[in-house]
Amino acid sequence: MPREVSSQFAVRFWLVMAALLCLFIWLLRPILLPFVAGMVIAYFLDPVVDRLSRAGWPRWLSTSLVLLSFVVAALSLVLLLFPLIQSQILTLIASIPDGVGYVRERLMPLVYEWVHKLSPHDVDRLRDAVSAYAGDVIGWAGGVLKGLVLRSVALFDILTLLVITPIVAFYLLRDWPSVTKTIEDLVPRKQYPLFSRAFREINTTLSGFLRGQALVCLSLGLFFSISLTLVGLKYGVIVGILSGAVAFIPYVGTIFCLVVSMTLAFIQFDTWGPILATFLVVLIGQTLESYVLTPRLVGGRVGLHPVWVLFAVFAGGALLGFVGILIAVPVAAVLGVLIRLAVRHYRASPLYRAGSKDKIS
């Protein structure tokens, strides 16, 4: 009986702690972005700092050098790409009237021809449906833009992000061993073997997916930017960078690149050669991602199904905005490990095995 009470108390305790953690994140979501970004950077850079520390470097010195190198590399990349991106964005904005004219000259006649083939009753129904859906879409888009503007103005301060994030990353990197040891010391000794096993699996999953997927995003961004530019597609650098940035969501990066690049190709080119070349670039990129980059850099050991990742990203964005998107995949990885451990314990429990001998006999 005491054992059952102790087990029930442990379950209730951890459920209450999880609920309090979720409530804490929800209440403090407006200020979490720089801290979450600092934690992500620290997690990415910790293996390098550990390697330097094992080589005899002081922890504070290795942390300072690694973090400074990361900041310098990030700033150099931004300064290198900013003029090119800025010029392409300005050119894209200036070409919007030409794109509208293309749609009006080439596509609208086809739409009018199709509409004229419909009966007056069908035209009226189509007009009513378009009006209704247009109103809904405009209202939804207005709400989204309003929310983004309000959050951007009230909650998201670029200066704060740029100042606080490196500070958080530095202290977490410097104190990472002591932080993890403190967490381990708080775990009940009876549950420590299970906790240690879960922690190792979570770390393997997170490191395998996050670091591998970051390399996949970088590789795809470079490939699409360079290849689309060589094909002659205008704004190929912007399309490639954005495609690589959203490639952490399975298939979204390639689908985004396909839709945007093919739309721009049909508007820009008058012959089928460059259009087919643009499609071929996207096809090669998808092939590289599916059969070369993801298997080699991420691998199948992480155990994160693409549908689970998609659900996590959209759920995180709906609940916590950009912060939710940032932590969606780590949370999904942790939950995936915990669910797999729970399933293994359930299969080994008397509840699952009860009656199995009777059925066999």
Side-chain angles (χ1 to χ4, degrees):
M1 187 66 179
R3 182 177 181 181
E4 293 180 0
V5 173
S6 176
S7 178
Q8 292 177 0
F9 174 78
V11 172
R12 291 175 182 173
F13 172 79
W14 290 114
L15 288 177
V16 170
M17 293 299 295
L20 290 177
L21 178 62
C22 293
L23 180 62
F24 175 80
I25 294 174
W26 173 258
L27 293 177
L28 298 181
R29 67 189 185 279
I31 63 170
L32 286 180
L33 182 57
F35 298 93
V36 172
M39 291 176 61
V40 172
I41 294 173
Y43 185 79
F44 270 94
L45 300 181
D46 180 65
V48 183
V49 176
D50 286 342
R51 189 171 300 177
L52 293 177
S53 299
R54 287 195 295 268
W57 291 47
R59 183 81 187 185
W60 66 269
L61 180 59
S62 57
T63 297
S64 302
L65 290 178
V66 171
L67 189 59
L68 181 62
S69 301
F70 174 80
V71 172
V72 170
L75 289 177
S76 302
L77 184 62
V78 170
L79 294 176
L80 180 65
L81 294 178
F82 180 76
L84 179 60
I85 295 175
Q86 183 184 31
S87 64
Q88 291 210 351
I89 290 177
L90 294 176
T91 306
L92 177 61
I93 294 174
S95 65
I96 289 178
D98 296 334
V100 174
Y102 170 85
V103 173
R104 185 177 301 171
E105 293 176 4
R106 296 193 179 185
L107 298 183
M108 291 308 294
L110 298 176
V111 174
Y112 289 143
E113 182 181 354
W114 176 72
V115 170
H116 284 310
K117 294 180 180 179
L118 299 176
S119 64
H121 179 66
D122 292 334
V123 172
D124 292 336
R125 292 176 58 186
L126 180 62
R127 184 184 296 111
D128 294 338
V130 170
S131 300
Y133 284 117
D136 294 339
V137 170
I138 291 174
W140 174 81
V144 171
L145 290 176
K146 182 180 179 181
L148 288 176
V149 170
L150 291 177
R151 290 183 182 180
S152 300
V153 173
L155 307 176
F156 183 75
D157 188 352
I158 295 294
L159 183 61
T160 302
L161 180 67
L162 295 178
V163 172
I164 298 299
T165 299
I167 296 175
V168 173
F170 172 80
Y171 283 109
L172 282 178
L173 272 174
R174 190 194 66 176
D175 301 331
W176 194 274
S178 60
V179 170
T180 55
K181 187 177 185 305
T182 301
I183 296 175
E184 291 179 354
D185 290 341
L186 292 176
V187 178
R189 297 299 92 185
K190 187 176 181 180
Q191 279 80 33
Y192 183 79
L194 178 61
F195 171 83
S196 178
R197 179 181 178 184
F199 185 81
R200 286 196 302 270
E201 291 194 22
I202 289 172
N203 184 59
T204 301
T205 301
L206 282 179
S207 60
F209 187 87
L210 293 181
R211 297 187 179 105
Q213 197 65 36
L215 293 175
V216 171
C217 293
L218 179 62
S219 302
L220 278 182
L222 290 174
F223 173 79
F224 283 136
S225 299
I226 296 173
S227 301
L228 293 176
T229 302
L230 292 177
V231 167
L233 185 71
K234 294 179 180 179
Y235 327 116
V237 173
I238 297 178
V239 175
I241 291 175
L242 293 178
S243 301
V246 299
F248 71 96
I249 309 175
Y251 308 112
V252 171
T254 304
I255 293 174
F256 173 85
C257 186
L258 176 65
V259 173
V260 176
S261 62
M262 293 304 294
T263 301
L264 294 175
F266 276 109
I267 294 176
Q268 176 182 343
F269 301 121
D270 295 326
T271 59
W272 282 102
I275 295 176
L276 293 177
T278 302
F279 177 77
L280 185 62
V281 165
V282 180
L283 183 63
I284 293 175
Q286 172 60 33
T287 304
L288 287 175
E289 179 187 8
S290 300
Y291 297 100
V292 179
L293 296 176
T294 299
R296 290 181 177 273
L297 299 178
V298 180
R301 66 186 184 277
V302 297
L304 287 177
H305 195 277
V307 175
W308 178 234
V309 176
L310 281 172
F311 174 80
V313 170
F314 282 102
L319 293 174
L320 299 174
F322 184 74
V323 176
I325 294 175
L326 197 61
I327 66 174
V329 173
V331 172
V334 172
L335 290 177
V337 171
L338 295 179
I339 290 173
R340 288 195 295 272
L341 285 175
V343 170
R344 285 203 292 266
H345 277 273
Y346 165 70
R347 289 182 176 275
S349 67
L351 178 63
Y352 177 77
R353 295 179 177 273
S356 60
K357 294 182 178 180
D358 297 336
K359 291 183 180 180
I360 294 174
S361 60

